[in-house]
Amino acid sequence: MKEKYFDKFVIALILLLILFAFFLQISTQSSTEKLKEDEIEKSRQYASKIAQFIKQKTDGEVEKSLTFSPELQKELNEYLHTFLTKQYKYVFVLYRDIKGMYRFLLDGSQDDAEEYKTIFFPKSKRFDDVYEKQKMEIIDQSENVEQLWLSLVYPIVFKGKTKALLVLDLSEDYGKHLNSFNSPLMNVVWMMQVVLFSSIILLLWLAYKYYLLRQNLLFDKLTAAHTKIYLDEFFNNHHVDDFYALLIDLDEFKLVNQKFSYELGDKLLKVLVSTIIDCMPKSTEIIRTAGTEFFLLVPKKSGKLTNLTKGLFKTLQEKIYLFDNEVITQYVSISAIDIPKDTKSIRNIQRILDEKMLEIKNRGKNNFSILNTKSLDEIRYGNIDYIKEALDEERCICLYQPIYDLKTDKIVKFEALVRLVDKNDTSKYITPSYFMDKIRGTSQYIKMSKQVIQHVFSILKQNPEIEISINVDLTDLENMDMMKLITENLYKYRKVASRITFEILEDNEVTDYDKVQYIIQQLKIYGSKVALDDFGSGYTNYIYLIGLDIDVIKIDGSLIKSLQTSPQRATLVLKSIQTLAKELNVELVAEFVSDESIYQLVKELGIEYVQGYYLGEPRPINDYLSKI
Amino acid sequence: MQVYALERVSTLSVYEGVFSALTKRTPIYVYTKDKEYQDVFKYSKKIILTQRLEKADIAFITQKSTLEEVLKEMKKNKKLKILKLFVSKYRLLKYSDEVLGASYWRKGRSQLLFIKSRLEKHFIKLPKTYHNFTVDEL
């Protein structure tokens, strides 16, 4: 059972048990009442029989007959005596004299029998009622009585006139006996109620303890801001995209601790938090994510992010802290973001803000930055789940950028460039800068490479007239799985393998040339070519040309761009590369030909092959097939 | 078994009411030989127990022998004529015309009875609350 339903289940169970206990109590009580009612009804029937018998014996004239016949008195007293049991304490017959006083006519008791016509009650309204209404009444004996539970006062009526009253007293012991009839069950019910009540008290106590524990976990003791744990809980109950997120980091805070004291540093943090509370909208959530780092969540309805961030930065920048005659200025850096719609995880937001914060710190701190759309794309497309989903749904494709032969002005080759297709907008292609670093070295990277290689080979197979180059990182080629994937496909598509070029890019300096040469040999086993990408930048240097069997040199874009900024020097460098390529019998490709002027300069230099947005941007292969 | 079925406070309250109805004097000097009732009356603020009939306003009697003794004393001593007798049994009420009233238990019920003619002899007019317990004769 899910944890969140468990609490509700326990509460529902206890409520059910409470209801059951009450139901049991009410049932038991009503069962006891029913028992009593049955007993009273039985007594009423006895009273009716006795009254009938007395009427019969006295011909209806009770008082007259008894006055004139002591024998009859005796007989009837003995008759009444037979009814005296544990159940009936007293049975007697009363007569109302002309003054309205009730006097004994008959008495079933033997030991303390009352004399004939002794006064019982001088006056009694209740007895009068029975006398007048001629209707039996049950008197619950509670006050000024001894050993009695209740009395049945039954009118002896003859020819429409009340002649006497028969009183049947039920003993207190019998009442107790009836009450205790269900007492074992009642005891169980009481015990249940005690246990349930104790359970509720225990639950309340535990709930209180849980509340205290939560408070400790969710609130930072020093600043009273929330803790990191709260962040997760907050987003379980709120939509992330309803908020702005701001990350505040205190610049050089350790100096405060060092110069003044840790105690003073703590005081500063407290004041800082209250300053933030004062200057931000009321519903702002403040979370202390690290010692000197605070994460703010501000509802979007509170205003514009730019205004809020600027206002907060200005307030904190101008804030002067005064403690024990010490004047302290504490600068802060803030990175802020308008959390984009459909953002599911706050972790990515935190990561992006962290990265932005690092950027601010590197730029000299004491500043703020609000993340733009590109950064938002980074969040969306940099989400590993998003990438995984794209690969699972095979939304990984290749776009192709044409490489032209300047002499013939025709397309001779294409460079395959990997893209992910946006989930919501299939016309939008996501470039590797968003996701490549996130998956490099993972199984997702292999998965993506597999899809790219298979895609490229199937294009080559379908179009026998074209050549395609694909980018591989030398580090990838050193990976066994990756190399296995490439060589297996080279073998599988060996008939078209000669029309593929592997553009090798190296981020690290090569130390083991024999190993790299071995890898290149493996790539070229079915006639594939190997190109050296970004030649002239980073580690990709002349030394490669000495140690490795290279077919193509792709000149680094920065060198091509410099034809516009430093034409003379750039021309000299490019000419030297051109000469070198010619001597080594290596093809030369100029990349990043982005406009006509560069195109003309490259053409004048006589570089054989060109590639760039001016000649054709990366597009689906079908867009170029007609131009071949 | 205690002679009074009600608990002490209630019993005392009943008797204080009855005795106050029988005499206007305060405190009320009560003569009784009954130990158990003595134990009840000693807690009263209105009642003062006395061993001497001459000093008593009311003689509260629970035994026939005591009643006989008191009646004998009353005959001897004319000063005792104003002494009001109150008993705890119906038969004692019946026994002598000098007894003004009784409080007793009958058929498990607490009962109170005053004889009107006897009260009149002592010029006693009971409060309204006791009218239902007053009879002309037994």
Side-chain angles (χ1 to χ4, degrees):
Chain A
M1 187 181 291
K2 283 185 179 174
E3 201 181 336
K4 67 175 178 178
Y5 295 120
F6 183 74
D7 297 349
K8 287 174 187 168
F9 173 75
V10 171
I11 291 166
L13 191 69
I14 287 175
L15 284 175
L16 271 175
L17 282 170
I18 290 170
L19 283 175
F20 179 66
F22 276 115
F23 168 75
L24 218 58
Q25 187 183 7
I26 290 164
S27 303
T28 314
Q29 279 171 349
S30 54
S31 154
T32 307
E33 286 308 310
K34 177 82 176 51
L35 205 68
K36 286 181 190 172
E37 278 168 20
D38 290 349
E39 216 45 55
I40 290 165
E41 175 55 26
K42 208 165 78 184
S43 302
R44 195 197 64 77
Q45 286 172 9
Y46 278 149
S48 169
K49 275 181 190 169
I50 296 167
Q52 201 60 37
F53 185 75
I54 292 169
K55 269 197 284 185
Q56 214 177 344
K57 283 284 178 184
T58 58
D59 296 326
E61 297 299 334
V62 186
E63 188 260 334
K64 269 185 196 167
S65 301
L66 289 171
T67 305
F68 292 112
S69 174
E71 291 80 17
L72 186 60
Q73 277 179 37
K74 199 181 170 196
E75 185 193 339
L76 288 177
N77 278 338
E78 278 169 7
Y79 172 71
L80 292 182
H81 181 71
T82 58
F83 286 92
L84 293 182
T85 55
K86 277 185 181 175
Q87 184 178 351
Y88 301 112
K89 182 82 178 165
Y90 307 111
V91 185
F92 51 92
V93 175
L94 299 171
Y95 142 79
R96 189 169 74 171
D97 68 13
I98 46 166
K99 288 182 179 174
M101 289 193 286
Y102 289 92
R103 292 172 182 274
F104 282 94
L105 288 182
L106 295 167
D107 185 1
S109 307
Q110 281 187 339
D111 296 339
D112 56 347
E114 297 298 337
E115 281 178 29
Y116 187 67
K117 290 205 175 173
T118 298
I119 294 171
F120 179 59
F121 277 130
K123 295 270 162 48
S124 169
K125 196 180 174 303
R126 299 195 74 171
F127 278 34
D128 285 347
D129 281 348
V130 180
Y131 228 95
E132 306 304 332
K133 292 175 185 168
Q134 298 181 345
K135 214 173 169 185
M136 186 196 83
E137 195 171 327
I138 295 158
I139 301 168
D140 197 350
Q141 302 288 8
S142 55
E143 282 182 20
N144 297 336
V145 292
E146 194 184 36
Q147 296 171 352
L148 294 185
W149 167 34
L150 47 85
S151 299
L152 260 79
V153 183
Y154 192 91
I156 300 172
V157 181
F158 184 69
K159 290 185 177 171
K161 280 191 176 176
T162 307
K163 299 291 178 182
L165 294 178
L166 171 70
V167 181
L168 207 58
D169 285 337
L170 276 80
S171 75
E172 192 180 39
D173 289 344
Y174 191 64
K176 282 178 183 168
H177 166 72
L178 291 178
N179 276 329
S180 63
F181 195 78
N182 284 321
S183 61
L185 192 59
M186 276 307 283
N187 287 340
V188 172
V189 172
W190 284 120
M191 276 167 69
M192 256 180 93
Q193 285 176 344
V194 167
V195 169
L196 282 169
F197 184 71
S198 310
S199 305
I200 290 167
I201 296 289
L202 184 70
L203 272 176
L204 287 173
W205 182 76
L206 285 174
Y208 176 67
K209 283 278 168 195
Y210 174 68
Y211 169 78
L212 290 181
L213 185 70
R214 255 175 66 88
Q215 292 296 100
N216 282 336
L217 286 172
L218 298 179
F219 288 93
D220 174 45
K221 277 182 186 168
L222 176 66
T223 62
H226 290 295
T227 59
K228 262 184 181 177
I229 302 166
Y230 177 76
L231 198 59
D232 291 326
E233 191 171 295
F234 185 77
F235 284 112
N236 283 337
N237 304 315
H238 295 84
H239 295 292
V240 184
D241 50 14
D242 287 342
F243 295 87
Y244 300 130
L246 288 87
L247 187 68
I248 305 169
D249 193 55
L250 279 64
D251 299 334
E252 305 291 354
F253 180 73
K254 63 182 175 186
L255 292 177
V256 174
N257 283 337
Q258 284 169 2
K259 278 169 76 178
F260 302 100
S261 69
Y262 281 90
E263 198 186 341
L264 204 137
D266 287 349
K267 281 183 184 173
L268 191 145
L269 287 174
K270 276 187 197 175
V271 176
L272 178 105
V273 169
S274 43
T275 309
I276 296 170
I277 292 170
D278 289 343
C279 97
M280 293 305 277
K282 260 189 178 178
S283 42
T284 300
E285 300 286 343
I286 305 174
I287 299 117
R288 192 180 178 194
T289 44
T292 61
E293 193 181 84
F294 294 90
F295 190 75
L296 266 56
L297 289 160
V298 189
K300 287 184 181 174
K301 58 186 175 188
S302 313
K304 284 188 175 175
L305 176 62
T306 318
N307 297 342
L308 289 166
T309 313
K310 270 184 191 171
L312 177 66
F313 180 73
K314 196 165 178 272
T315 307
L316 295 178
Q317 197 186 34
E318 289 171 359
K319 175 82 185 170
I320 290 166
Y321 301 88
L322 282 167
F323 302 110
D324 310 328
N325 299 326
E326 299 285 1
V327 180
I328 307 170
T329 314
Q330 175 62 58
Y331 294 123
V332 297
S333 299
I334 304 175
S335 56
I337 190 169
D338 179 346
I339 301 177
K341 277 207 163 183
D342 301 326
T343 303
K344 282 171 189 162
S345 163
I346 194 68
R347 296 277 168 248
N348 276 333
I349 302 288
Q350 279 185 293
R351 184 180 54 75
I352 290 290
L353 288 174
D354 270 338
E355 284 170 14
K356 202 72 190 172
M357 180 62 76
L358 200 67
E359 211 178 293
I360 300 167
K361 296 269 180 184
N362 289 336
R363 285 203 315 259
K365 305 170 187 174
N366 187 23
N367 210 336
F368 72 92
S369 176
I370 297 166
L371 278 87
N372 54 23
T373 320
K374 189 174 178 293
S375 310
L376 303 183
D377 282 348
E378 274 179 34
I379 298 169
R380 195 178 302 136
Y381 302 139
N383 185 333
I384 190 71
D385 292 328
Y386 184 89
I387 303 165
K388 269 185 190 173
E389 194 182 8
L391 293 173
D392 288 343
E393 291 172 2
E394 298 194 342
R395 280 191 280 109
C396 173
I397 57 137
C398 281
L399 294 183
Y400 295 87
Q401 190 171 33
I403 299 170
Y404 279 81
D405 184 339
L406 269 177
K407 285 177 191 163
T408 59
D409 222 13
K410 280 189 176 172
I411 297 169
V412 288
K413 200 185 278 186
F414 293 94
E415 180 178 351
L417 298 160
V418 68
R419 297 285 188 271
L420 291 182
V421 179
D422 189 278
K423 189 181 177 182
N424 303 317
D425 180 5
T426 50
S427 64
K428 192 172 178 182
Y429 300 116
I430 304 159
T431 58
S433 60
Y434 290 111
F435 58 85
M436 200 57 97
D437 287 344
K438 307 285 184 313
I439 60 168
R440 201 182 291 279
T442 69
S443 59
Q444 299 303 318
Y445 188 70
I446 303 285
K447 195 173 184 177
M448 191 190 69
S449 302
K450 197 173 175 180
Q451 287 183 19
V452 168
I453 288 168
Q454 282 175 350
H455 188 262
V456 167
F457 276 112
S458 76
I459 295 289
L460 285 171
K461 212 175 165 188
Q462 287 164 25
N463 305 284
E465 69 282 16
I466 65 165
E467 287 189 28
I468 296 173
S469 66
I470 59 171
N471 292 289
V472 281
D473 198 304
L474 201 54
T475 319
D476 295 343
L477 297 175
E478 285 168 354
N479 180 300
M480 295 274 281
D481 293 332
M482 196 65 175
M483 204 55 203
K484 194 180 169 201
L485 175 73
I486 293 171
T487 50
E488 276 177 1
N489 277 283
L490 279 173
Y491 176 75
K492 190 178 171 187
Y493 299 100
R494 55 192 178 278
K495 286 183 180 170
V496 299
S498 61
R499 287 190 281 123
I500 196 158
T501 304
F502 292 98
E503 292 186 14
I504 297 172
L505 179 70
E506 174 58 332
D507 289 332
N508 303 303
E509 192 174 3
V510 174
T511 48
D512 188 352
Y513 281 94
D514 291 339
K515 191 180 175 187
V516 178
Q517 183 56 39
Y518 174 71
I519 289 168
I520 288 174
Q521 277 173 7
Q522 280 188 296
L523 293 177
K524 294 173 82 170
I525 201 160
Y526 295 106
S528 304
K529 290 175 187 165
V530 172
L532 205 54
D533 206 4
D534 295 343
F535 183 80
S537 72
Y539 296 104
T540 312
N541 223 316
Y542 286 91
I543 192 78
Y544 278 62
L545 299 174
I546 300 166
L548 305 174
D549 182 12
I550 303 294
D551 303 297
V552 183
I553 290 172
K554 292 190 87 169
I555 306 165
D556 186 64
S558 57
L559 285 176
I560 303 296
K561 278 180 195 167
S562 59
L563 278 170
Q564 286 178 311
T565 52
S566 314
Q568 285 180 330
R569 282 172 176 266
T571 305
L572 276 174
V573 173
L574 288 170
K575 271 189 175 172
S576 75
I577 295 172
Q578 202 181 2
T579 313
L580 189 70
K582 210 175 260 178
E583 290 298 320
L584 290 171
N585 196 26
V586 172
E587 291 173 5
L588 197 61
V589 182
E591 285 187 295
F592 287 90
V593 178
S594 53
D595 56 41
E596 197 183 349
S597 66
I598 295 177
Y599 175 76
Q600 289 302 335
L601 289 167
V602 171
K603 202 173 182 180
E604 280 167 23
L605 271 169
I607 293 173
E608 295 168 270
Y609 304 105
V610 284
Q611 175 186 356
Y613 269 61
Y614 175 65
L615 299 157
E617 58 189 72
R619 299 176 73 86
I621 193 74
N622 289 338
D623 292 1
Y624 289 113
L625 288 176
S626 59
K627 294 179 183 173
I628 297 168
Chain B
M1 194 184 111
Q2 60 188 31
V3 287
Y4 50 96
L6 304 176
E7 45 92 26
R8 198 184 67 207
V9 178
S10 307
T11 309
L12 190 56
S13 164
V14 168
Y15 281 102
E16 278 179 349
V18 170
F19 293 165
S20 299
L22 291 175
T23 178
K24 295 271 186 287
R25 289 184 62 177
T26 51
I28 306 162
Y29 283 85
V30 175
Y31 170 89
T32 184
K33 282 178 94 175
D34 191 294
K35 297 272 183 224
E36 286 184 70
Y37 278 103
Q38 281 176 4
D39 279 347
V40 176
F41 295 154
K42 71 182 180 188
Y43 293 102
S44 172
K45 285 177 183 171
K46 291 182 180 174
I47 298 167
I48 293 175
L49 288 167
T50 177
Q51 301 289 324
R52 291 173 56 217
L53 280 170
E54 290 86 355
K55 207 180 175 188
D57 299 308
I58 293 165
F60 178 66
I61 297 155
T62 60
Q63 298 295 327
K64 191 184 173 191
S65 56
T66 313
L67 179 62
E68 284 169 345
E69 276 172 31
V70 170
L71 289 170
K72 208 174 166 183
E73 278 300 309
M74 284 174 76
K75 267 186 186 174
K76 274 201 274 180
N77 189 344
K78 283 186 180 176
K79 280 182 183 173
L80 296 179
K81 264 201 163 182
I82 53 163
L83 184 67
K84 289 140 186 137
L85 302 185
F86 194 79
V87 296
S88 67
K89 288 183 180 79
Y90 179 78
R91 61 185 171 85
L92 296 182
L93 179 68
K94 254 184 121 179
Y95 182 77
S96 167
D97 288 347
E98 295 299 324
V99 179
L100 305 181
S103 166
Y104 54 92
W105 287 88
R106 175 181 276 158
K107 302 292 175 204
R109 294 150 175 94
S110 157
Q111 307 226 332
L112 185 63
L113 211 57
F114 296 100
I115 312 291
K116 199 178 174 184
S117 54
R118 298 178 191 176
L119 291 169
E120 280 167 355
K121 266 192 203 171
H122 284 263
F123 308 105
I124 294 167
K125 205 174 176 187
L126 291 175
K128 224 177 175 180
T129 45
Y130 293 104
H131 284 186
N132 279 344
F133 306 103
T134 310
V135 295
D136 294 336
E137 57 191 42
L138 290 174

